[in-house]
Amino acid sequence: MYQGIIFDLDGTLWDSTAQILPAWNRVLARCNTCSPMTLPEFQSYMGKTIEEIAAIKLPHLPLKEGAAIFSECCKEELIELAKSGGVLYPNLAETLGTLHQNHFLAIVSNCQNGYIQTFLEFHRLRDFFDDFLCFGQTQLPKGENIQLLMERNNLQTAVYVGDTQGDFDAARQAGIPFIYAAYGFGEVPDRSYRLNAICELPKLLKELP
C-alpha cells in the first residue's frame, strides 16, 4: 500500500475555470494587451505557471511584464472563488473520506499561494488533507515540490494523481507512479494507470504493484 496520495488540483479535484475566467478577462481588458480568453483557451493553460502562460499568451511583452499581468489575474480570481467556489468532480468528498482512512492525502499544484486554501475552505475539505504545497509558496517546479512535500512528511511511498503531461513529467521527476485523471483538461499519452472518474481511485490503488 502506498503511504501517500498526492493530487494535482485543477482538472483533478475540481474545475474552477468557468468561475474565474471573467475575472481574468476583466484584468486583460484593463491592461489592453491582448484579446479576451475563451473558455477552451483558458482550460488549456491549467497546470501551467503564470510565467508559462505569459510566454504563450503575451509573447510580445517582456516575460516579467506579462507575468505581472497574470499575477494580477490570479489575485482577482481568488476574490471570485471565495464567493462561489468551483465545481467539484462527482463523489469527491466521499472518495476523499474513504482514502483518508488509510492514506496521507496532499495537494501539489502550480497555482499561486491562497488558491489551494480557498478550495479547501470554501468546499469544507480541509479535514481530508494532511498537507499541501504550491509554486506560489516555493517558486519551485512541481516535481521538486512533490519531493519536498514527501521529505517533510517522511513519506517513503506515494502516487501522484493529475491530468496533464506536466503532471506526468513531475511525477517522473519525483520518482513516483502517476495516475492519469482522464476526465480533466489534458492528454497524457503514457498512461499506464487511468481514472475515468475520481471515485475509481480506491479500487485502482488496490491494483497497483
Side-chain angles (χ1 to χ4, degrees):
M1 178 186 294
Y2 289 90
Q3 291 175 280
I5 306 170
I6 307 172
F7 295 91
D8 169 53
L9 181 47
D10 291 313
T12 302
L13 299 177
W14 77 345
D15 178 358
S16 65
T17 53
Q19 286 70 34
I20 62 181
L21 177 58
W24 279 54
N25 278 335
R26 284 197 300 272
V27 174
L28 295 178
R30 290 200 301 265
C31 296
N32 195 29
T33 58
C34 64
S35 60
M37 287 190 188
T38 64
L39 185 59
E41 178 188 11
F42 186 49
Q43 290 174 336
S44 74
Y45 296 141
M46 292 297 99
K48 292 179 169 54
T49 65
I50 57 173
E51 287 81 6
E52 291 170 332
I53 298 171
I56 298 169
K57 182 66 174 176
L58 302 174
H60 54 288
L61 294 181
L63 183 59
K64 186 175 181 180
E65 185 177 339
I69 291 172
F70 287 115
S71 179
E72 188 63 27
C73 290
C74 290
K75 291 177 183 177
E76 194 140 332
E77 78 179 21
L78 291 181
I79 298 172
E80 293 298 323
L81 290 176
K83 297 175 185 176
S84 63
V87 178
L88 302 182
Y89 287 113
N91 303 304
L92 179 65
E94 298 88 337
T95 302
L96 293 174
T98 298
L99 294 171
H100 201 220
Q101 294 175 18
N102 298 303
H103 300 277
F104 180 101
L105 302 187
I107 299 171
V108 172
S109 170
N110 273 340
C111 61
Q112 76 274 29
N113 193 21
Y115 188 81
I116 298 174
Q117 295 94 317
T118 302
F119 161 76
L120 295 174
E121 290 166 9
F122 184 91
H123 293 287
R124 300 180 181 179
L125 297 172
R126 187 174 288 276
D127 289 346
F128 293 124
F129 290 94
D130 302 290
D131 200 1
F132 60 83
L133 202 56
C134 67
F135 177 82
Q137 293 171 301
T138 66
Q139 304 301 302
L140 294 174
K142 187 174 284 186
E144 292 184 37
N145 278 331
I146 293 172
Q147 292 173 319
L148 178 59
L149 183 139
M150 291 182 66
E151 289 168 4
R152 76 184 188 184
N153 291 288
N154 196 31
L155 291 177
Q156 302 302 312
T157 60
V159 297
Y160 189 65
V161 185
D163 67 307
T164 67
Q165 183 65 42
D167 293 334
F168 173 86
D169 295 339
R172 174 170 286 183
Q173 180 184 355
I176 63 174
F178 175 72
I179 296 175
Y180 172 51
Y183 52 85
F185 299 124
E187 288 291 335
V188 181
D190 188 345
R191 47 194 181 192
S192 300
Y193 309 115
R194 173 192 176 105
L195 294 174
N196 294 309
I198 190 69
C199 60
E200 296 175 358
L201 185 53
K203 180 176 183 294
L204 177 60
L205 288 169
K206 295 177 182 178
E207 299 171 357
L208 295 184

